mmCIF file of all heavy atoms in Angstrom:
data_model
loop_
_atom_site.group_PDB
_atom_site.id
_atom_site.type_symbol
_atom_site.label_atom_id
_atom_site.label_comp_id
_atom_site.label_asym_id
_atom_site.label_seq_id
_atom_site.Cartn_x
_atom_site.Cartn_y
_atom_site.Cartn_z
ATOM 1 N N PHE A 1 -3.493 -14.840 -1.363
ATOM 2 C CA PHE A 1 -4.027 -13.535 -1.777
ATOM 3 C C PHE A 1 -4.652 -12.796 -0.601
ATOM 4 O O PHE A 1 -4.637 -11.562 -0.560
ATOM 5 C CB PHE A 1 -5.062 -13.723 -2.881
ATOM 6 C CG PHE A 1 -4.479 -14.183 -4.194
ATOM 7 C CD1 PHE A 1 -5.078 -15.182 -4.919
ATOM 8 C CD2 PHE A 1 -3.339 -13.592 -4.673
ATOM 9 C CE1 PHE A 1 -4.513 -15.610 -6.145
ATOM 10 C CE2 PHE A 1 -2.747 -14.012 -5.880
ATOM 11 C CZ PHE A 1 -3.366 -15.017 -6.608
ATOM 12 N N ALA A 2 -5.177 -13.555 0.397
ATOM 13 C CA ALA A 2 -5.695 -12.918 1.586
ATOM 14 C C ALA A 2 -4.585 -12.209 2.362
ATOM 15 O O ALA A 2 -4.784 -11.099 2.906
ATOM 16 C CB ALA A 2 -6.354 -13.955 2.495
ATOM 17 N N GLU A 3 -3.410 -12.793 2.354
ATOM 18 C CA GLU A 3 -2.253 -12.166 3.023
ATOM 19 C C GLU A 3 -1.844 -10.889 2.324
ATOM 20 O O GLU A 3 -1.510 -9.907 2.981
ATOM 21 C CB GLU A 3 -1.076 -13.150 3.038
ATOM 22 C CG GLU A 3 -1.247 -14.311 3.983
ATOM 23 C CD GLU A 3 -0.058 -15.261 3.963
ATOM 24 O OE1 GLU A 3 0.964 -14.913 3.350
ATOM 25 O OE2 GLU A 3 -0.147 -16.328 4.564
ATOM 26 N N VAL A 4 -1.886 -10.856 0.995
ATOM 27 C CA VAL A 4 -1.531 -9.653 0.269
ATOM 28 C C VAL A 4 -2.500 -8.531 0.621
ATOM 29 O O VAL A 4 -2.062 -7.392 0.954
ATOM 30 C CB VAL A 4 -1.582 -9.894 -1.287
ATOM 31 C CG1 VAL A 4 -1.373 -8.596 -2.042
ATOM 32 C CG2 VAL A 4 -0.529 -10.903 -1.679
ATOM 33 N N ALA A 5 -3.786 -8.803 0.591
ATOM 34 C CA ALA A 5 -4.799 -7.780 0.891
ATOM 35 C C ALA A 5 -4.651 -7.267 2.329
ATOM 36 O O ALA A 5 -4.670 -6.066 2.559
ATOM 37 C CB ALA A 5 -6.198 -8.343 0.654
ATOM 38 N N ALA A 6 -4.500 -8.184 3.256
ATOM 39 C CA ALA A 6 -4.411 -7.800 4.652
ATOM 40 C C ALA A 6 -3.162 -7.038 4.997
ATOM 41 O O ALA A 6 -3.157 -6.000 5.681
ATOM 42 C CB ALA A 6 -4.536 -9.054 5.557
ATOM 43 N N TRP A 7 -1.997 -7.543 4.525
ATOM 44 C CA TRP A 7 -0.727 -6.883 4.809
ATOM 45 C C TRP A 7 -0.707 -5.472 4.231
ATOM 46 O O TRP A 7 -0.121 -4.566 4.839
ATOM 47 C CB TRP A 7 0.430 -7.722 4.204
ATOM 48 C CG TRP A 7 0.955 -8.748 5.157
ATOM 49 C CD1 TRP A 7 0.867 -10.109 5.044
ATOM 50 C CD2 TRP A 7 1.677 -8.516 6.385
ATOM 51 N NE1 TRP A 7 1.472 -10.729 6.114
ATOM 52 C CE2 TRP A 7 1.998 -9.775 6.940
ATOM 53 C CE3 TRP A 7 2.112 -7.351 7.047
ATOM 54 C CZ2 TRP A 7 2.699 -9.918 8.132
ATOM 55 C CZ3 TRP A 7 2.796 -7.511 8.223
ATOM 56 C CH2 TRP A 7 3.095 -8.752 8.756
ATOM 57 N N PHE A 8 -1.279 -5.291 3.073
ATOM 58 C CA PHE A 8 -1.271 -3.960 2.446
ATOM 59 C C PHE A 8 -1.999 -2.952 3.320
ATOM 60 O O PHE A 8 -1.496 -1.854 3.590
ATOM 61 C CB PHE A 8 -1.949 -4.042 1.052
ATOM 62 C CG PHE A 8 -1.833 -2.786 0.253
ATOM 63 C CD1 PHE A 8 -0.776 -1.880 0.444
ATOM 64 C CD2 PHE A 8 -2.783 -2.484 -0.695
ATOM 65 C CE1 PHE A 8 -0.679 -0.726 -0.321
ATOM 66 C CE2 PHE A 8 -2.686 -1.317 -1.487
ATOM 67 C CZ PHE A 8 -1.628 -0.447 -1.270
ATOM 68 N N LEU A 9 -3.183 -3.301 3.805
ATOM 69 C CA LEU A 9 -3.934 -2.383 4.651
ATOM 70 C C LEU A 9 -3.200 -2.116 5.971
ATOM 71 O O LEU A 9 -3.138 -0.986 6.442
ATOM 72 C CB LEU A 9 -5.332 -2.904 4.921
ATOM 73 C CG LEU A 9 -6.249 -2.012 5.763
ATOM 74 C CD1 LEU A 9 -6.392 -0.628 5.129
ATOM 75 C CD2 LEU A 9 -7.620 -2.665 5.913
ATOM 76 N N ILE A 10 -2.642 -3.165 6.578
ATOM 77 C CA ILE A 10 -1.906 -2.982 7.841
ATOM 78 C C ILE A 10 -0.701 -2.069 7.615
ATOM 79 O O ILE A 10 -0.407 -1.185 8.419
ATOM 80 C CB ILE A 10 -1.444 -4.363 8.364
ATOM 81 C CG1 ILE A 10 -2.657 -5.183 8.838
ATOM 82 C CG2 ILE A 10 -0.457 -4.203 9.532
ATOM 83 C CD1 ILE A 10 -2.354 -6.615 9.163
ATOM 84 N N HIS A 11 0.001 -2.285 6.493
ATOM 85 C CA HIS A 11 1.169 -1.455 6.189
ATOM 86 C C HIS A 11 0.782 0.006 5.989
ATOM 87 O O HIS A 11 1.509 0.912 6.441
ATOM 88 C CB HIS A 11 1.861 -1.995 4.946
ATOM 89 C CG HIS A 11 3.101 -1.208 4.554
ATOM 90 N ND1 HIS A 11 4.256 -1.250 5.299
ATOM 91 C CD2 HIS A 11 3.328 -0.383 3.523
ATOM 92 C CE1 HIS A 11 5.182 -0.474 4.723
ATOM 93 N NE2 HIS A 11 4.603 0.067 3.651
ATOM 94 N N LEU A 12 -0.351 0.247 5.372
ATOM 95 C CA LEU A 12 -0.816 1.599 5.169
ATOM 96 C C LEU A 12 -1.188 2.278 6.494
ATOM 97 O O LEU A 12 -0.986 3.490 6.659
ATOM 98 C CB LEU A 12 -2.026 1.647 4.194
ATOM 99 C CG LEU A 12 -1.706 1.250 2.764
ATOM 100 C CD1 LEU A 12 -2.982 1.298 1.913
ATOM 101 C CD2 LEU A 12 -0.634 2.184 2.151
ATOM 102 N N GLU A 13 -1.699 1.486 7.430
ATOM 103 C CA GLU A 13 -1.976 2.043 8.771
ATOM 104 C C GLU A 13 -0.675 2.532 9.431
ATOM 105 O O GLU A 13 -0.644 3.596 10.021
ATOM 106 C CB GLU A 13 -2.619 0.964 9.659
ATOM 107 C CG GLU A 13 -4.042 0.581 9.216
ATOM 108 C CD GLU A 13 -4.560 -0.591 10.047
ATOM 109 O OE1 GLU A 13 -4.136 -0.730 11.226
ATOM 110 O OE2 GLU A 13 -5.391 -1.355 9.516
ATOM 111 N N LEU A 14 0.384 1.731 9.261
ATOM 112 C CA LEU A 14 1.688 2.101 9.830
ATOM 113 C C LEU A 14 2.299 3.286 9.089
ATOM 114 O O LEU A 14 3.200 3.953 9.605
ATOM 115 C CB LEU A 14 2.636 0.916 9.762
ATOM 116 C CG LEU A 14 2.245 -0.323 10.553
ATOM 117 C CD1 LEU A 14 3.219 -1.486 10.271
ATOM 118 C CD2 LEU A 14 2.202 -0.029 12.042
ATOM 119 N N SER A 15 1.801 3.569 7.880
ATOM 120 C CA SER A 15 2.342 4.660 7.072
ATOM 121 C C SER A 15 1.744 6.024 7.449
ATOM 122 O O SER A 15 2.343 7.062 7.115
ATOM 123 C CB SER A 15 2.052 4.395 5.571
ATOM 124 O OG SER A 15 2.527 3.151 5.161
ATOM 125 N N ILE A 16 0.637 6.018 8.151
ATOM 126 C CA ILE A 16 -0.067 7.251 8.473
ATOM 127 C C ILE A 16 0.810 8.281 9.182
ATOM 128 O O ILE A 16 0.857 9.450 8.808
ATOM 129 C CB ILE A 16 -1.368 6.970 9.292
ATOM 130 C CG1 ILE A 16 -2.384 6.237 8.418
ATOM 131 C CG2 ILE A 16 -1.934 8.238 9.852
ATOM 132 C CD1 ILE A 16 -2.931 7.059 7.242
ATOM 133 N N PRO A 17 1.549 7.918 10.265
ATOM 134 C CA PRO A 17 2.393 8.900 10.924
ATOM 135 C C PRO A 17 3.677 9.266 10.183
ATOM 136 O O PRO A 17 4.402 10.158 10.601
ATOM 137 C CB PRO A 17 2.700 8.252 12.283
ATOM 138 C CG PRO A 17 2.633 6.795 12.003
ATOM 139 C CD PRO A 17 1.596 6.602 10.967
ATOM 140 N N VAL A 18 3.941 8.544 9.094
ATOM 141 C CA VAL A 18 5.210 8.734 8.375
ATOM 142 C C VAL A 18 5.047 9.571 7.104
ATOM 143 O O VAL A 18 5.886 10.446 6.818
ATOM 144 C CB VAL A 18 5.802 7.358 7.985
ATOM 145 C CG1 VAL A 18 7.140 7.539 7.239
ATOM 146 C CG2 VAL A 18 5.980 6.475 9.184
ATOM 147 N N LEU A 19 3.938 9.387 6.395
ATOM 148 C CA LEU A 19 3.735 10.061 5.119
ATOM 149 C C LEU A 19 2.587 11.075 5.200
ATOM 150 O O LEU A 19 1.626 10.869 5.947
ATOM 151 C CB LEU A 19 3.395 9.029 4.031
ATOM 152 C CG LEU A 19 4.422 7.925 3.766
ATOM 153 C CD1 LEU A 19 3.870 6.954 2.709
ATOM 154 C CD2 LEU A 19 5.739 8.506 3.318
ATOM 155 N N THR A 20 2.698 12.160 4.426
ATOM 156 C CA THR A 20 1.604 13.114 4.302
ATOM 157 C C THR A 20 0.528 12.514 3.438
ATOM 158 O O THR A 20 0.751 11.501 2.738
ATOM 159 C CB THR A 20 2.107 14.420 3.682
ATOM 160 O OG1 THR A 20 2.530 14.151 2.333
ATOM 161 C CG2 THR A 20 3.266 15.010 4.473
ATOM 162 N N ARG A 21 -0.633 13.134 3.416
ATOM 163 C CA ARG A 21 -1.746 12.609 2.569
ATOM 164 C C ARG A 21 -1.366 12.509 1.111
ATOM 165 O O ARG A 21 -1.587 11.451 0.489
ATOM 166 C CB ARG A 21 -2.980 13.471 2.771
ATOM 167 C CG ARG A 21 -4.193 12.930 2.004
ATOM 168 C CD ARG A 21 -5.454 13.694 2.298
ATOM 169 N NE ARG A 21 -6.613 13.114 1.639
ATOM 170 C CZ ARG A 21 -7.789 12.963 2.177
ATOM 171 N NH1 ARG A 21 -7.969 13.334 3.427
ATOM 172 N NH2 ARG A 21 -8.776 12.447 1.478
ATOM 173 N N PRO A 22 -0.782 13.578 0.487
ATOM 174 C CA PRO A 22 -0.399 13.464 -0.899
ATOM 175 C C PRO A 22 0.645 12.364 -1.115
ATOM 176 O O PRO A 22 0.616 11.645 -2.138
ATOM 177 C CB PRO A 22 0.199 14.842 -1.231
ATOM 178 C CG PRO A 22 -0.459 15.751 -0.248
ATOM 179 C CD PRO A 22 -0.621 14.956 0.997
ATOM 180 N N GLU A 23 1.584 12.231 -0.199
ATOM 181 C CA GLU A 23 2.604 11.156 -0.304
ATOM 182 C C GLU A 23 1.955 9.788 -0.237
ATOM 183 O O GLU A 23 2.359 8.845 -0.928
ATOM 184 C CB GLU A 23 3.645 11.332 0.786
ATOM 185 C CG GLU A 23 4.570 12.507 0.585
ATOM 186 C CD GLU A 23 5.506 12.748 1.790
ATOM 187 O OE1 GLU A 23 5.128 12.311 2.916
ATOM 188 O OE2 GLU A 23 6.553 13.375 1.599
ATOM 189 N N MET A 24 0.952 9.686 0.632
ATOM 190 C CA MET A 24 0.264 8.383 0.794
ATOM 191 C C MET A 24 -0.467 8.014 -0.507
ATOM 192 O O MET A 24 -0.432 6.848 -0.935
ATOM 193 C CB MET A 24 -0.764 8.474 1.936
ATOM 194 C CG MET A 24 -0.173 8.235 3.305
ATOM 195 S SD MET A 24 0.097 6.466 3.653
ATOM 196 C CE MET A 24 -1.591 5.887 3.951
ATOM 197 N N ILE A 25 -1.144 9.004 -1.135
ATOM 198 C CA ILE A 25 -1.878 8.717 -2.368
ATOM 199 C C ILE A 25 -0.929 8.232 -3.448
ATOM 200 O O ILE A 25 -1.203 7.234 -4.132
ATOM 201 C CB ILE A 25 -2.611 9.988 -2.845
ATOM 202 C CG1 ILE A 25 -3.649 10.460 -1.774
ATOM 203 C CG2 ILE A 25 -3.320 9.692 -4.170
ATOM 204 C CD1 ILE A 25 -4.711 9.411 -1.434
ATOM 205 N N ASP A 26 0.213 8.908 -3.563
ATOM 206 C CA ASP A 26 1.235 8.470 -4.567
ATOM 207 C C ASP A 26 1.764 7.086 -4.237
ATOM 208 O O ASP A 26 1.960 6.260 -5.122
ATOM 209 C CB ASP A 26 2.386 9.484 -4.614
ATOM 210 C CG ASP A 26 1.976 10.792 -5.245
ATOM 211 O OD1 ASP A 26 0.968 10.840 -5.940
ATOM 212 O OD2 ASP A 26 2.699 11.796 -5.029
ATOM 213 N N TYR A 27 1.968 6.834 -2.940
ATOM 214 C CA TYR A 27 2.540 5.560 -2.491
ATOM 215 C C TYR A 27 1.537 4.419 -2.776
ATOM 216 O O TYR A 27 1.913 3.349 -3.272
ATOM 217 C CB TYR A 27 2.880 5.622 -1.020
ATOM 218 C CG TYR A 27 3.487 4.361 -0.476
ATOM 219 C CD1 TYR A 27 4.673 3.866 -1.001
ATOM 220 C CD2 TYR A 27 2.904 3.692 0.600
ATOM 221 C CE1 TYR A 27 5.274 2.735 -0.499
ATOM 222 C CE2 TYR A 27 3.474 2.547 1.129
ATOM 223 C CZ TYR A 27 4.662 2.071 0.587
ATOM 224 O OH TYR A 27 5.236 0.910 1.090
ATOM 225 N N ILE A 28 0.271 4.637 -2.488
ATOM 226 C CA ILE A 28 -0.761 3.648 -2.735
ATOM 227 C C ILE A 28 -0.866 3.300 -4.217
ATOM 228 O O ILE A 28 -0.921 2.113 -4.605
ATOM 229 C CB ILE A 28 -2.143 4.128 -2.204
ATOM 230 C CG1 ILE A 28 -2.112 4.211 -0.676
ATOM 231 C CG2 ILE A 28 -3.266 3.173 -2.644
ATOM 232 C CD1 ILE A 28 -3.280 4.953 -0.085
ATOM 233 N N ASN A 29 -0.804 4.329 -5.060
ATOM 234 C CA ASN A 29 -0.830 4.082 -6.504
ATOM 235 C C ASN A 29 0.367 3.265 -6.968
ATOM 236 O O ASN A 29 0.262 2.384 -7.802
ATOM 237 C CB ASN A 29 -0.858 5.431 -7.258
ATOM 238 C CG ASN A 29 -2.268 6.014 -7.334
ATOM 239 O OD1 ASN A 29 -3.230 5.285 -7.526
ATOM 240 N ND2 ASN A 29 -2.364 7.347 -7.192
ATOM 241 N N GLU A 30 1.532 3.567 -6.355
ATOM 242 C CA GLU A 30 2.755 2.848 -6.667
ATOM 243 C C GLU A 30 2.628 1.355 -6.346
ATOM 244 O O GLU A 30 2.997 0.493 -7.144
ATOM 245 C CB GLU A 30 3.917 3.474 -5.874
ATOM 246 C CG GLU A 30 5.246 2.715 -5.981
ATOM 247 C CD GLU A 30 6.279 3.289 -5.011
ATOM 248 O OE1 GLU A 30 6.268 4.506 -4.728
ATOM 249 O OE2 GLU A 30 7.115 2.490 -4.518
ATOM 250 N N ILE A 31 2.101 1.038 -5.152
ATOM 251 C CA ILE A 31 1.973 -0.347 -4.739
ATOM 252 C C ILE A 31 0.933 -1.082 -5.564
ATOM 253 O O ILE A 31 1.108 -2.256 -5.913
ATOM 254 C CB ILE A 31 1.638 -0.443 -3.226
ATOM 255 C CG1 ILE A 31 2.712 0.278 -2.402
ATOM 256 C CG2 ILE A 31 1.526 -1.907 -2.782
ATOM 257 C CD1 ILE A 31 4.116 -0.195 -2.663
ATOM 258 N N LEU A 32 -0.169 -0.414 -5.859
ATOM 259 C CA LEU A 32 -1.224 -1.068 -6.662
ATOM 260 C C LEU A 32 -0.773 -1.488 -8.067
ATOM 261 O O LEU A 32 -1.395 -2.334 -8.687
ATOM 262 C CB LEU A 32 -2.418 -0.132 -6.755
ATOM 263 C CG LEU A 32 -3.258 0.056 -5.484
ATOM 264 C CD1 LEU A 32 -4.296 1.139 -5.667
ATOM 265 C CD2 LEU A 32 -3.918 -1.271 -5.083
ATOM 266 N N GLU A 33 0.319 -0.886 -8.513
ATOM 267 C CA GLU A 33 0.888 -1.228 -9.861
ATOM 268 C C GLU A 33 1.816 -2.436 -9.782
ATOM 269 O O GLU A 33 2.203 -2.981 -10.850
ATOM 270 C CB GLU A 33 1.611 -0.043 -10.432
ATOM 271 C CG GLU A 33 0.734 1.104 -10.867
ATOM 272 C CD GLU A 33 -0.249 0.691 -11.971
ATOM 273 O OE1 GLU A 33 0.194 0.027 -12.929
ATOM 274 O OE2 GLU A 33 -1.433 1.029 -11.854
ATOM 275 N N LEU A 34 2.197 -2.905 -8.616
ATOM 276 C CA LEU A 34 3.079 -4.052 -8.497
ATOM 277 C C LEU A 34 2.397 -5.302 -9.044
ATOM 278 O O LEU A 34 1.187 -5.492 -8.807
ATOM 279 C CB LEU A 34 3.503 -4.247 -7.053
ATOM 280 C CG LEU A 34 4.394 -3.145 -6.435
ATOM 281 C CD1 LEU A 34 4.616 -3.413 -4.945
ATOM 282 C CD2 LEU A 34 5.716 -3.052 -7.169
ATOM 283 N N PRO A 35 3.139 -6.166 -9.714
ATOM 284 C CA PRO A 35 2.536 -7.331 -10.420
ATOM 285 C C PRO A 35 1.642 -8.229 -9.535
ATOM 286 O O PRO A 35 0.510 -8.557 -9.928
ATOM 287 C CB PRO A 35 3.761 -8.130 -10.900
ATOM 288 C CG PRO A 35 4.814 -7.071 -11.075
ATOM 289 C CD PRO A 35 4.595 -6.097 -9.955
ATOM 290 N N ARG A 36 2.137 -8.607 -8.356
ATOM 291 C CA ARG A 36 1.356 -9.546 -7.513
ATOM 292 C C ARG A 36 0.141 -8.839 -6.908
ATOM 293 O O ARG A 36 -0.862 -9.506 -6.597
ATOM 294 C CB ARG A 36 2.213 -10.169 -6.446
ATOM 295 C CG ARG A 36 2.795 -11.506 -6.772
ATOM 296 C CD ARG A 36 3.543 -11.563 -8.094
ATOM 297 N NE ARG A 36 4.717 -10.729 -8.095
ATOM 298 C CZ ARG A 36 5.577 -10.602 -9.098
ATOM 299 N NH1 ARG A 36 5.374 -11.283 -10.214
ATOM 300 N NH2 ARG A 36 6.604 -9.794 -9.044
ATOM 301 N N PHE A 37 0.181 -7.522 -6.718
ATOM 302 C CA PHE A 37 -0.975 -6.821 -6.202
ATOM 303 C C PHE A 37 -2.066 -6.743 -7.302
ATOM 304 O O PHE A 37 -3.251 -6.827 -6.991
ATOM 305 C CB PHE A 37 -0.592 -5.426 -5.733
ATOM 306 C CG PHE A 37 0.113 -5.449 -4.404
ATOM 307 C CD1 PHE A 37 1.458 -5.803 -4.293
ATOM 308 C CD2 PHE A 37 -0.559 -5.100 -3.252
ATOM 309 C CE1 PHE A 37 2.101 -5.841 -3.084
ATOM 310 C CE2 PHE A 37 0.083 -5.139 -2.017
ATOM 311 C CZ PHE A 37 1.420 -5.508 -1.926
ATOM 312 N N GLN A 38 -1.641 -6.622 -8.551
ATOM 313 C CA GLN A 38 -2.606 -6.619 -9.642
ATOM 314 C C GLN A 38 -3.201 -8.020 -9.798
ATOM 315 O O GLN A 38 -4.440 -8.146 -10.028
ATOM 316 C CB GLN A 38 -1.923 -6.193 -10.943
ATOM 317 C CG GLN A 38 -1.533 -4.732 -10.938
ATOM 318 C CD GLN A 38 -1.200 -4.223 -12.339
ATOM 319 O OE1 GLN A 38 -1.343 -4.933 -13.311
ATOM 320 N NE2 GLN A 38 -0.724 -2.975 -12.412
ATOM 321 N N ILE A 39 -2.380 -9.057 -9.675
ATOM 322 C CA ILE A 39 -2.892 -10.427 -9.765
ATOM 323 C C ILE A 39 -3.909 -10.694 -8.679
ATOM 324 O O ILE A 39 -4.960 -11.308 -8.887
ATOM 325 C CB ILE A 39 -1.722 -11.445 -9.671
ATOM 326 C CG1 ILE A 39 -0.858 -11.374 -10.932
ATOM 327 C CG2 ILE A 39 -2.256 -12.839 -9.479
ATOM 328 C CD1 ILE A 39 0.398 -12.190 -10.841
#
């Protein structure tokens, strides 16, 4: 579970130059709905 939490934040850092702020918000909501992220 530590890996899930850490990888998610690192991946979002890499997403900053790729996605706009509204796109990032939608993307974060999308990932938070994934089964293992909810677990």
Side-chain angles (χ1 to χ4, degrees):
F1 292 136
E3 288 180 9
V4 173
W7 271 112
F8 187 27
L9 183 55
I10 292 170
H11 181 70
L12 292 179
E13 291 174 30
L14 297 175
S15 306
I16 292 295
V18 180
L19 301 176
T20 64
R21 183 174 184 139
E23 289 173 336
M24 276 282 285
I25 299 301
D26 289 342
Y27 182 58
I28 292 167
N29 279 320
E30 174 189 327
I31 303 306
L32 287 172
E33 289 299 315
L34 293 174
R36 264 53 63 178
F37 284 77
Q38 290 195 7
I39 291 173

